[in-house]
Amino acid sequence: MRGATHAKWAACAVAVALAATACGGGSDSGGGGDGIVSSSWGDPQNPLEPANTNEVQGGKVLDMIFRGLKRYDPKTGAADNMVAQSIDTTDQQNFTVTLKNGWKFSNDEPVTASSFVDAWNYAADVRNKQNNAPFFSNIVGYDDLHPESGEPKAKTMSGLVVKNDTTFTVALKDKFSTWPDTLGYQAFSPLPKAFFTDHAGWLNKPVGNGPYTVDSYTKGTGMNLRAWTGYTGPDKAQNGGVDLKVYTDNNTAYTDLLAGNLDLVDDVPASQLKNVKSDLGDRYINQPALIIQTLTFPLYDPQWGKPGMEKVRQGISRAINRPEITKQIFQDTRSPAQDWTSSALGEKGGFANICGDLCTYDPAAAKQLIQEGGGLPGGKMTITSNVDTGSHRVWMDAVCNSINNVLGQGAVCTVNPVGTFADFRNQQSSFKLTGPFRSGWQGDYPLIQNFLQPLYYTGASSNYGKFSNPDFDKLVDQANQESDTAAAIAKFQDAEKILAAQMPSIPLWYQNGSAGYSERLSNVSLNQFSVPVYDQIKVS
């Protein structure tokens, strides 16, 4: 992602549902009438350029204002054609993309082949510093447009060719059989000409081709989106709009929901899980999602990245009592992780127990591994995360308590709470952290590849620990080129075995999507990424 993301990447892409400060902006009543849904939210890290957004909060907005070549079915996760009429190939390397007729942006510009090609070239251009640029790195000509250093050697990627208004071709460097299935990720969204001719104006009020338009945005307060009456896609908004309200504490958001001042909370705080069923009844949603929480090590720091420290990292993993933490803190909304992907992937490659004993609580084995690896750097460690949502402070304390109890050396594990998600992400993405940090990942698309390549491939977009292993990279490359799905998954899982041996991050738990909503709403659901399907919500 993803990101993850978006991920999604979740590092995530990234973090799960992020909320923010008591009801900024919007009316004091639930939705303010006129069929408007009010929902908790958090400020995006960056302006809402599709190729520069790889975290959840910005991703929620992009999912409302853009439609790409494909869109993931909210229930099944299938990559269905949206703007694309077809994406054809005979060799899994060269693709012909044909667009459906009739799509347009909300400023009445038509969506053409150039809308995609220009957007993708902008994303890949090193001068534009787009977070999601690596998602285009498998296209021929990317290296000339995005060199490791210096100015670009070309103005566009040679692998992208516009044939006519509704057709373009894509040449990849290598075979990538599932490449079309990645195209529902928002980084691949089209952009109107207005994005390039008045970039500052577009950033101030983004224009897309989705079912909603941006009406207003005040940082720290909220964003108001309104249903676009001119939208002709198959998923037209079933409400008048969505008011996203910024919260810095999801407990406040939950309180506002119960008081009738908010319609939707898409991250029920851990402190309310014991009460949520009695509070909301069938207006509480708890379902598996494409999300995993991990602790990532800063391998760019010599103390954590030196040879032999993999034993220390493995030992820390064995010192974490996942079953107890997930049961006591998260009730039935988390389950102990057994690999680096997501249990929600199912037959697509998740839940393979590749971490095995290394993700199993064993105090004696933990102490031995840490001692064999030379001990904690300087005899201590600090865990960092944002604490404005997700009950992160609570579980960080629990993880440190578990480690401290195992080592029996006092408070050698401490926490570093960062006030806001944006601040935390900025520290993470600038490689300023010197101890393990939270890396929640929400899938950008439902493929095992998305949980591995963006986070652990050398130089990948969300590889914030700077892990690098040539054997891992080689297996990922081979997996991407497999035309047989089962064979591809097997190679990805072989790559995961390298993660177990090196432990660049510690899998903590798979995370469910959770949400609660008011009596005003109906037809509320979460997609596989745990994001509300806003366009299908109805307001009474």
Side-chain angles (χ1 to χ4, degrees), residues 295 315-323 325 359-362 366 398-399 402-403 406 506-509:
L295 277 181
I316 294 170
S317 177
R318 301 216 67 176
I320 299 172
N321 193 335
R322 296 168 181 78
I325 293 171
C359 282
T360 302
Y361 179 64
D362 187 325
V399 166
S402 184
I403 293 170
V406 166
I506 294 174
L508 293 175
W509 35 78

Side-chain angles (χ1 to χ4, degrees), residues 37 47 69-70 72 105 112 122 147-148 161 220 224 270-271 283 293 303 318 325 347 389 476 488 519 523 525 530:
V37 179
L69 294 172
K70 286 182 173 283
Y72 303 114
F105 294 99
T112 67
Y122 178 88
E148 292 186 7
V161 178
N224 296 335
S271 60
R283 290 181 287 112
Q293 292 285 341
Q303 294 190 94
R318 301 216 67 176
I325 293 171
E347 62 182 18
T389 187
V476 168
E519 294 178 345
N523 206 36
S525 64
S530 85

Side-chain angles (χ1 to χ4, degrees), residues 133-470:
F135 281 92
F136 303 88
S137 62
N138 47 18
I139 297 175
V140 172
Y142 174 85
D143 295 334
D144 289 335
L145 191 55
H146 198 107
E148 292 186 7
S149 61
E151 291 294 304
K153 300 175 183 177
K155 294 183 179 179
T156 60
M157 290 183 283
S158 58
L160 296 179
V161 178
V162 174
K163 295 297 186 180
N164 53 53
D165 280 350
T166 59
T167 309
F168 67 99
T169 59
V170 184
L172 304 183
K173 298 174 186 175
D174 300 292
K175 291 183 178 181
F176 188 178
S177 60
T178 56
W179 181 75
D181 287 346
T182 71
L183 299 178
Y185 182 41
Q186 294 147 349
F188 295 101
S189 298
L191 289 170
K193 292 179 181 178
F195 176 88
F196 304 98
T197 57
D198 183 13
H199 192 214
W202 190 96
L203 290 178
N204 186 54
K205 197 169 186 178
V207 172
N209 65 324
Y212 293 92
T213 60
V214 176
D215 184 60
S216 63
Y217 173 46
T218 302
K219 187 174 182 179
T221 300
M223 177 179 288
N224 296 335
L225 299 106
R226 293 296 176 263
W228 175 30
T229 56
Y231 181 68
T232 58
D235 51 346
K236 195 176 183 68
Q238 300 299 302
N239 50 67
V242 179
D243 286 351
L244 297 172
K245 299 185 177 184
V246 173
Y247 286 81
T248 54
D249 182 355
N250 60 346
N251 284 287
T252 306
Y254 187 81
T255 300
D256 277 354
L257 172 65
L258 296 184
N261 297 325
L262 189 69
D263 288 324
L264 177 61
V265 171
D266 64 356
D267 182 19
V268 177
S271 60
Q272 302 295 340
L273 291 175
K274 292 182 179 180
N275 309 315
V276 66
K277 291 182 180 179
S278 60
D279 287 341
L280 301 176
D282 59 6
R283 290 181 287 112
Y284 167 56
I285 300 173
N286 174 32
Q287 67 184 47
L290 293 168
I291 302 171
I292 186 173
Q293 292 285 341
T294 65
L295 277 181
T296 294
F297 292 95
L299 302 184
Y300 50 84
D301 185 303
Q303 294 190 94
W304 285 107
K306 65 184 179 183
M309 284 298 288
E310 64 275 5
K311 286 192 173 182
V312 174
R313 300 192 292 266
Q314 291 171 343
I316 294 170
S317 177
R318 301 216 67 176
I320 299 172
N321 193 335
R322 296 168 181 78
E324 181 177 341
I325 293 171
T326 54
K327 180 180 180 181
Q328 295 298 324
I329 296 177
F330 296 115
Q331 309 295 313
D332 58 351
T333 64
R334 311 286 190 276
S335 57
Q338 300 177 9
D339 76 336
W340 282 262
T341 64
S342 166
S343 57
L345 281 174
E347 62 182 18
K348 297 178 182 179
F351 207 60
N353 197 25
I354 287 172
C355 193
D357 288 344
L358 295 174
C359 282
T360 302
Y361 179 64
D362 187 325
K367 290 179 70 173
Q368 182 177 345
L369 282 166
I370 292 172
Q371 290 171 359
E372 290 177 357
L376 301 179
K380 58 185 178 180
M381 61 179 280
T382 299
I383 298 175
T384 299
S385 172
N386 62 298
V387 292
D388 47 356
T389 187
S391 307
H392 299 315
R393 179 59 192 261
V394 179
W395 70 252
M396 282 198 300
D397 285 337
V399 166
C400 269
N401 288 338
S402 184
I403 293 170
N404 289 333
N405 289 338
V406 166
L407 295 182
Q409 298 172 356
V412 295
C413 178
T414 57
V415 302
N416 173 32
V418 179
T420 67
F421 177 66
D423 187 15
F424 167 65
R425 284 280 291 163
N426 287 332
Q427 292 183 45
Q428 181 190 55
S429 58
S430 60
F431 308 103
K432 293 181 178 179
L433 300 171
T434 57
F437 51 89
R438 182 182 70 82
S439 290
W441 183 255
Q442 177 199 57
D444 303 309
Y445 40 86
L447 297 174
I448 184 175
Q449 178 262 359
N450 185 239
F451 284 81
L452 301 178
Q453 186 166 349
L455 288 94
Y456 305 108
Y457 196 92
T458 301
S461 58
S462 296
N463 187 349
Y464 295 118
K466 290 198 173 182
F467 173 69
S468 180
N469 183 287

